[in-house]
Every structure is written in structure tokens, then in C-alpha cells.
Amino acid sequence: MYILYFLIILLLPIYAQFKVRNTYKRFSSVHASKGLTGAQVARMILDSHGLYDVRVVPTQGVLSDHYNPMTKTVALSEDNYHNDSLAAIAVAAHECGHAVQHKEAYSFLTLRSKLVPVANFSSSLSWIFVLIGIISYSANMLLLGIILLGAGVLFQLITLPVEFDASKRAMNEVIQLGIINNDEERGARKVLSAAALTYVAAAAVAVLELLRLILIFTNMSSNED
């Protein structure tokens, strides 16, 4: 069982990364019929929602695209910013989906933003207490580590609906604004689905690890009794 467990937590993220990079690479070479770059697509979507104050800027790195609610900036990797591929369009539209979520105060996005400092704090300390609890065979210390780790797992789970909703918004926007045609929809969906898989994998691994520690805590507590 332990071998199976470790294979899952090891191979699932690797598969997710392989899937997203392979899909992204494939559709990065497929040019959209409208010839719009990722930056142009982002600007169109933002303007259609009255988000004129949200900037679209290039950023370094591969798949480093993100939306920063603090600075109201949609940052697109250089390739996606300048290129007119289906991958660039899908990614740009997805990040704009987050900007629209921010404007509409989407509940899961608001909750995730509030959890960021808690998740950052708990993730940096949780494993310290977990290791101390396991090494010293202290159920109380292990429980504290599990509670802290649970905050990070909750953050991962809340991230899922945020990302899924942003992808759904992205597809709606590129279709309604006529950015892609019917034949290109499938490719855009594949890019977004592959990207979503990375979040699913991360959440699954986090939940499995939390469950494993809870089982260890349960056995430890019963032995102490």
C-alpha cells in the first residue's frame, strides 16, 4: 500500500506537468484564424467588461502567466503575449477570467485571497511539527502539524473552483467575442483542461498526504491509550 501511495504522489504531478507542457507545446504551433495575439485578446476581454484600469504586460518565464489583483495586472509570458497561437489565446483568456472574477468579487476567489497569508504561514511550519511529532512519537505535536497542514490543503481545494471557473469564463469570452471559430474551440479547451489538471494533481496529492498523516495520528493516539 505504501509503495502504491508513493507511486501516486510521485507520478501524478509528473504526469500533470507532462500533459500541460505537451499540450501547450502542441497548440503553441497552431495559429488562430483571427491572428490576434495573447495581449490583444486579453485587452479585448478586459475592455468588454469595462476593466480599462487592468494592464496587460509581458513577463519572463514559460507558463508564468498570472493575474495580480493587488496591481490589477494580467501578466503574460513573452510567448503568449506576442504570439497568436491557440495556446496563447487560451492562456490569456484564462488570466482575464481571474480579472473578471476579481471585479465581480467571485466568492471562491475572495476566500482564497483571504487564505493566502494563512496558507503561507501554515505551510512553512506544518512539516516542522509533523516531523517532531513522528520522531518524538508525540500525538499532540503531530496533530498540530496536521491542523496547520490542513489549512494549506483547504487552500488547494478552494483553488480548484477558482481555476475551473476562470477557464469556463475564458471559453465563453473567446467564443462570444468571435476570437476563435468553431473548429478552434476544441484546441482551446484542451489547453485549458491540461492546465487545470495540474491543480487537480496538486490538490489530490495534498489530500492524500493529509489522510496518511491522520492515519498515523490515529494509530499513535490508540497506542498511547
Side-chain angles (χ1 to χ4, degrees):
M1 288 297 293
Y2 271 102
I3 293 176
L4 178 61
Y5 166 78
F6 283 114
L7 282 175
I8 291 175
I9 66 171
L10 177 65
L11 295 179
L12 188 56
I14 293 176
Y15 171 74
Q17 286 297 325
F18 168 79
K19 183 70 173 179
V20 68
R21 290 185 180 278
N22 189 50
T23 305
Y24 176 78
K25 181 179 179 180
R26 174 186 172 189
F27 288 100
S28 288
S29 61
V30 179
H31 297 281
S33 57
K34 298 294 183 181
L36 298 172
T37 65
Q40 291 173 322
V41 168
R43 190 71 268 160
M44 284 181 63
I45 294 174
L46 294 172
D47 289 351
S48 70
H49 287 273
L51 293 171
Y52 306 109
D53 57 337
V54 176
R55 297 182 302 131
V56 182
V57 299
T59 187
Q60 294 182 340
V62 179
L63 293 176
S64 55
D65 314 81
H66 62 277
Y67 170 67
N68 188 330
M70 301 298 293
T71 60
K72 289 190 174 183
T73 301
V74 169
L76 302 177
S77 58
E78 292 280 355
D79 285 342
N80 291 333
Y81 186 91
H82 296 290
N83 290 338
D84 63 350
S85 67
L86 283 182
I89 288 174
V91 172
H94 176 88
E95 299 309 329
C96 289
H98 288 309
V100 177
Q101 287 176 337
H102 184 209
K103 175 188 177 182
E104 297 178 356
Y106 178 60
S107 57
F108 283 107
L109 179 66
T110 301
L111 181 57
R112 187 179 71 167
S113 299
K114 291 180 179 179
L115 281 175
V116 168
V118 177
N120 289 339
F121 173 79
S122 63
S123 62
S124 62
L125 291 178
S126 59
W127 285 104
I128 296 176
F129 290 103
V130 167
L131 290 175
I132 292 175
I134 293 175
I135 293 173
S136 64
Y137 210 76
S138 170
N140 289 332
M141 293 296 287
L142 179 57
L143 178 60
L144 181 56
I146 289 173
I147 293 173
L148 291 172
L149 187 64
V153 173
L154 178 61
F155 180 82
Q156 295 269 24
L157 293 175
I158 291 175
T159 295
L160 293 180
V162 173
E163 297 300 328
F164 290 151
D165 180 75
S167 290
K168 181 180 178 181
R169 292 172 186 265
M171 284 305 304
N172 289 339
E173 293 295 336
V174 295
I175 292 173
Q176 291 176 6
L177 293 176
I179 294 171
I180 61 175
N181 59 40
N182 294 338
D183 295 333
E184 295 167 333
E185 287 182 27
R186 185 179 179 186
R189 290 187 191 279
K190 284 187 175 181
V191 173
L192 294 173
S193 296
L197 183 61
T198 60
Y199 295 100
V200 173
V205 169
V207 170
L208 285 173
E209 187 61 17
L210 182 63
L211 291 175
R212 184 179 73 89
L213 292 175
I214 291 174
L215 287 175
I216 294 175
F217 168 76
T218 302
N219 292 332
M220 191 180 293
S221 297
S222 61
N223 289 335
E224 286 183 354
D225 294 337

